[in-house]
Amino acid sequence: MSGMTIKAFEERFPVAGRFTISRESRTEIRAVTVELHDGEASGRGECIPYARYGETVEGVIEAIHDLKTDLANGLDRARLQSRLPAGAARNGVDCAFWDLEAKRAGKPVWSLAGLQKPLPVTTAYTISLAPPEKMARQAMKNAARPLLKVKLGHEGDLERIEAVRGACRSTIIVDANEDWSVEQYLELAPQLLKLGVAMVEQPVPAACDDVLADIERPLPISADESCHDRASLAQLGGKYDLVNIKLDKTGGLTEALAMKRQAARAGFAIMVGSMLSTSLAMAPALLVAQNADYVDLDGPLLLARDRADGLNYRGSLIDPPSQKLWG
């Protein structure tokens, strides 16, 4: 694949209303679209730079454009893994490589990766952080969905879950986005279990999650901000029950598939999530999401506008992507 060219540019997509978690609110997303061209075929990828990990749109685009000379000299997907660190920039380029390779081979990515043909998967639907009564209204509007993910992280979290539970019979998972203390987890866990909550993502800050190794975990805990790629798995044992695999953290589909295999061998349950992003970012994640314990790929459902040829959502069921989109 020598002599390739690359483009990276920002595209903005409006959120349907406002999306709020413990650390921020957003009314739009700033996606970086990556395009690889070899003169005959092209491939696309999408990544979402995340300030929590020290990333900016401008910095990610610069890092991708810095690959131009390497690509002209034959950089391929395998060597990309050591050329860029795990993170958004590598994710965009890695997924564009997979898309390009599929087009060149005339075969879908799942076949090139040695995977089974993907089947539809059921995603969680996210209820963003708000006063209990507003979250209850959102839960009621989505009560037919089998799995709801509820954003928490402020005083009144128990009241929020009580309100959501009163509005639906769905399975509930919660995400504290690092905003609890270990004492809050220990206080809330038994009460959340009684309300039918199945697990919690990243209750305490990643920088001080060692405390989780010293407590009982009646409510299963998933690592998110503490979990990036395979190198991070060694630090998670004894503290977490699940890992949340996101391509913007792993640095692409290549590492995500490898991480899923290694995490399963290490005894972790698997969750597959994503940043708030479009169908172009969800498409490769769907390959990782096959047979996962939890899937959280509802990004396009939370946007006011998705990409052309986006994924088909039948309620909470996501169909595999068309080749016009990716892969």
Side-chain angles (χ1 to χ4, degrees):
M1 288 192 184
S2 61
M4 283 195 295
T5 60
I6 192 166
K7 294 180 182 178
F9 49 92
E10 178 186 354
E11 294 188 86
R12 299 191 181 203
F13 296 85
V15 172
R18 180 180 294 272
F19 184 79
T20 301
I21 65 173
S22 62
R23 67 172 71 96
E24 64 180 355
S25 290
R26 277 179 279 176
T27 57
E28 68 174 5
I29 63 168
R30 301 178 64 192
V32 174
T33 302
V34 181
E35 295 180 352
L36 273 176
H37 302 268
D38 69 357
E40 296 181 3
S42 62
R44 294 194 304 167
E46 176 185 312
C47 60
I48 304 291
Y50 199 35
R52 168 65 180 80
Y53 305 131
E55 297 174 331
T56 65
V57 168
E58 296 76 16
V60 164
I61 290 175
E62 181 180 359
I64 293 170
H65 284 163
D66 283 345
L67 298 174
K68 288 180 178 179
T69 300
D70 302 79
L71 287 164
N73 291 327
L75 180 74
D76 60 11
R77 181 170 52 81
R79 281 177 283 180
L80 173 69
Q81 309 308 310
S82 57
R83 173 63 176 81
L84 287 179
R90 196 176 78 192
N91 176 35
V93 181
D94 182 81
C95 291
F97 261 121
W98 277 109
D99 192 32
L100 177 60
E101 291 168 23
K103 289 181 170 65
R104 287 167 60 97
K107 296 181 179 180
V109 168
W110 61 263
S111 178
L112 295 179
L115 304 173
Q116 296 293 314
K117 185 177 181 179
L119 299 173
V121 299
T122 298
T123 181
Y125 182 85
T126 303
I127 307 296
S128 72
L129 185 63
E133 60 275 11
K134 184 175 181 180
M135 296 178 79
R137 288 196 295 271
Q138 286 297 309
M140 189 173 296
K141 287 165 73 172
N142 292 280
R145 298 183 185 277
L147 180 63
L148 295 181
K149 175 176 172 175
V150 180
K151 291 288 188 178
L152 299 177
H154 286 293
E155 290 185 13
D157 280 345
L158 181 59
E159 289 76 16
R160 290 183 175 91
I161 293 300
E162 289 174 336
V164 169
R165 172 50 72 213
C168 71
R169 301 176 64 87
S170 312
T171 297
I172 297 173
I173 57 179
V174 301
D175 187 358
N177 284 114
E178 304 183 274
D179 206 59
W180 291 355
S181 65
V182 69
E183 290 78 17
Q184 285 174 295
Y185 167 81
L186 291 170
E187 178 184 353
L188 286 170
Q191 301 173 82
L192 295 181
L193 283 168
K194 289 180 181 178
L195 291 167
V197 173
M199 68 92 165
V200 58
E201 282 185 73
Q202 200 68 49
V204 304
C208 55
D209 66 357
D210 286 345
V211 295
L212 297 178
D214 301 322
I215 63 170
E216 295 293 326
R217 299 190 300 275
L219 180 64
I221 300 177
S222 175
D224 185 0
E225 286 86 350
S226 291
C227 166
H228 291 262
D229 55 8
R230 281 174 292 174
S232 65
L233 290 175
Q235 307 301 317
L236 305 180
K239 298 188 288 188
Y240 295 95
D241 307 289
L242 309 89
V243 293
N244 189 346
I245 300 173
K246 295 178 179 177
L247 273 64
D248 275 312
K249 294 188 301 177
T250 66
L253 177 62
T254 303
E255 175 65 18
L257 291 171
M259 181 180 178
K260 180 184 179 182
R261 292 190 293 268
Q262 185 167 318
R265 288 196 297 268
F268 292 105
I270 304 297
M271 180 176 186
V272 177
S274 71
M275 306 306 179
L276 184 57
S277 44
T278 79
S279 285
L280 182 56
M282 303 297 142
L286 277 173
L287 298 183
V288 190
Q290 300 295 305
N291 301 311
D293 298 277
Y294 295 98
V295 176
D296 179 25
L297 299 177
D298 62 343
L301 296 177
L302 305 174
L303 299 179
R305 175 175 60 85
D306 192 13
R307 294 182 184 271
D309 302 309
L311 291 169
N312 182 46
Y313 285 80
R314 292 178 284 139
S316 291
L317 202 64
I318 318 173
D319 290 324
S322 68
Q323 292 183 3
K324 289 182 179 180
L325 176 65
W326 182 88

